[in-house]
Amino acid sequence: MPTSPLRSSPLEPAHEAAGATFTDFAGYRMPVRYSSDLAEHHAVRQAAGVFDLSHMAEVGVTGPQAVAFLDHALAGSFGAMPVGRAKYSLLLAEDGGILDDLVVYRTEEDVFLVVANASNRQVAVDALTARADGFDVEVSDDSDTTALVAIQGPAAAGTLDALVVADRLQPESPLDELGYYRALHAVFDGAEVLVARTGYTGEDGFEVYSDPSVAGALWDALLEAGADRGVVPAGLAARDTLRLEAGMPLYGHELGTDVRPAQAGLGRVVAKDGDFVGATGVTPSDDARVLVGLVTEGRRAPRAGYDVVQDGVVVGTVTSGALSPTLGHPVAMAFVDPALATEGQLLHIDVRGTAIPSTVTAFPFYRRASKG
């Protein structure tokens, strides 16, 4: 059976010129690394990395009943959300399982931008379109007409400021006034863009949504402005170890249709007493396994699918794991029996037949130093 051709990012020529190694990710040909996974990971922690996230799915929601629609379609509450704010939310199935985790931006009074995972683009578009029935709202799949470039790390703000000083980026308000999980309109080289201060690495950072025709110039400008600051392009491999250190879940690993929000520590995202799709099934069973962090001894990194055991009995499953480049020891995320989810609990991970001691720990594994 023939396979569908991979989609290309508008930044593919820039990646090729930079010597990127590519991989198939959610149907896109995306850069997994440029130099080395470790070098790019450390660059983000110490300076900044520039990421191509143009494979992400963007769904526009517009209309006088946009708030009521989102309150129904997603497991959050959006009425009190001011213009210029972002909110992490969940798209649930009828039975309360997680179809996707999302970031929702309110860019105008009746205009929202919903950003979904690339692997769930069609799922999100189809679910939101179906749930719009009966609401005075328009849902549009804007993924193919939107590029997304992110810069993450302690040098991110200074690098963007350099573009402002050079008069290439004109934000509607000062960037240093843009708080976390906020967004503002801006103009880059004469084109309208949306600048958001969010991220998936545990570092301060920004994401810039633009027309695909602008993405190449933006990518080059960020790398040029950040060259003296140690800013480098970073691929998917570094992004994965960064998000793991930050204790951030990944759909298909920690999140899925068989997981209820509270199991993954996301109960706070769900609107209390909300009348949203999936509300009746959102509460997990008392014996449902819950997501924990594990710090393991030695240097052998646990991987997704490895068993978590206690006294020879399987009590959980690893969903993500790696040797942490920043911390120097292995860390993992795993679902374990709720009675064993207490911080400090000693468990073992079966790493190819060897039981590796592991201790339950709170998220995140890594936390950046506070300013000042």
Side-chain angles (χ1 to χ4, degrees):
M1 182 176 179
T3 58
S4 300
L6 295 179
R7 296 172 179 263
S8 296
S9 159
L11 290 167
E12 187 168 296
H15 303 322
E16 291 178 336
T21 299
F22 290 87
T23 188
D24 175 356
F25 186 80
Y28 281 81
R29 184 172 183 256
M30 297 299 293
V32 66
R33 70 182 60 83
Y34 301 85
S35 56
S36 78
D37 303 351
L38 282 176
E40 293 165 22
H41 181 108
H42 289 311
V44 174
R45 291 281 180 248
Q46 298 164 10
V50 181
F51 297 85
D52 179 10
L53 304 182
S54 299
H55 58 299
M56 298 292 282
E58 290 85 16
V59 182
V61 175
T62 306
Q65 290 189 305
V67 169
F69 161 68
L70 289 172
D71 284 350
H72 165 72
L74 305 181
S77 179
F78 298 90
M81 183 178 176
V83 172
R85 292 288 183 92
K87 175 178 276 194
Y88 181 78
S89 192
L90 298 170
L91 176 69
L92 302 183
E94 292 280 354
D95 66 358
I98 301 174
L99 291 174
D100 201 15
D101 62 328
L102 319 156
V103 176
V104 181
Y105 298 93
R106 190 172 198 169
T107 59
E108 304 290 349
E109 190 64 28
D110 294 328
V111 179
F112 292 80
L113 172 64
V114 178
V115 182
N117 286 292
S119 59
N120 289 328
R121 171 181 172 177
Q122 204 58 52
V123 169
V125 171
D126 290 348
L128 292 172
T129 300
R131 295 174 190 185
D133 187 41
F135 290 92
D136 187 1
V137 68
E138 179 181 345
V139 175
S140 58
D141 182 359
D142 300 332
S143 308
D144 292 337
T145 56
T146 306
L148 177 54
V149 176
I151 180 167
Q152 293 280 304
T159 302
L160 270 188
D161 283 339
L163 299 187
V164 175
V165 171
D167 204 30
R168 297 193 66 182
L169 180 68
Q170 297 97 31
E172 62 182 354
S173 59
L175 287 178
D176 61 5
E177 296 178 2
L178 184 65
Y180 188 54
Y181 260 65
R182 306 288 196 276
L184 55 77
H185 295 285
V187 173
F188 173 77
D189 283 359
E192 293 184 0
V193 299
L194 182 72
V195 180
R197 196 167 201 165
T198 57
Y200 196 56
T201 65
E203 299 293 343
D204 184 25
F206 300 82
E207 293 171 312
V208 184
Y209 297 82
S210 73
D211 185 88
S213 64
V214 180
L218 175 62
W219 177 270
D220 291 341
L222 288 170
L223 290 174
E224 290 168 7
D228 293 340
R229 297 174 167 85
V231 178
V232 302
L236 292 173
R239 189 165 182 256
D240 191 48
T241 52
L242 290 159
R243 71 93 191 169
L244 176 56
E245 289 182 347
M248 295 182 175
L250 176 63
Y251 196 90
H253 287 252
E254 289 73 41
L255 306 179
T257 53
D258 58 340
V259 177
R260 302 299 180 269
Q263 289 179 257
L266 299 176
R268 67 189 185 283
V269 177
V270 178
K272 295 180 179 179
D273 303 321
D275 184 19
F276 52 85
V277 176
T280 57
V282 75
T283 302
S285 60
D286 291 340
D287 61 351
R289 287 177 172 171
V290 295
L291 187 66
V292 299
L294 294 173
V295 173
T296 71
E297 297 181 6
R299 304 281 292 179
R300 299 179 67 180
R303 301 297 181 188
Y306 286 9
D307 288 336
V308 180
V309 298
Q310 186 187 50
D311 299 328
V313 177
V314 176
V315 295
T317 305
V318 173
T319 53
S320 298
L323 177 63
S324 165
T326 305
L327 304 175
H329 57 71
V331 297
M333 304 173 81
F335 280 97
V336 303
D337 293 346
L340 302 174
T342 305
E343 188 173 351
Q345 172 72 50
L346 178 63
L347 299 171
H348 290 80
I349 298 177
D350 185 350
V351 180
R352 299 179 182 176
T354 301
I356 305 297
S358 305
T359 304
V360 175
T361 188
F363 295 123
F365 301 108
Y366 162 85
R367 191 186 301 274
R368 71 177 186 267
S370 301
K371 295 181 180 179

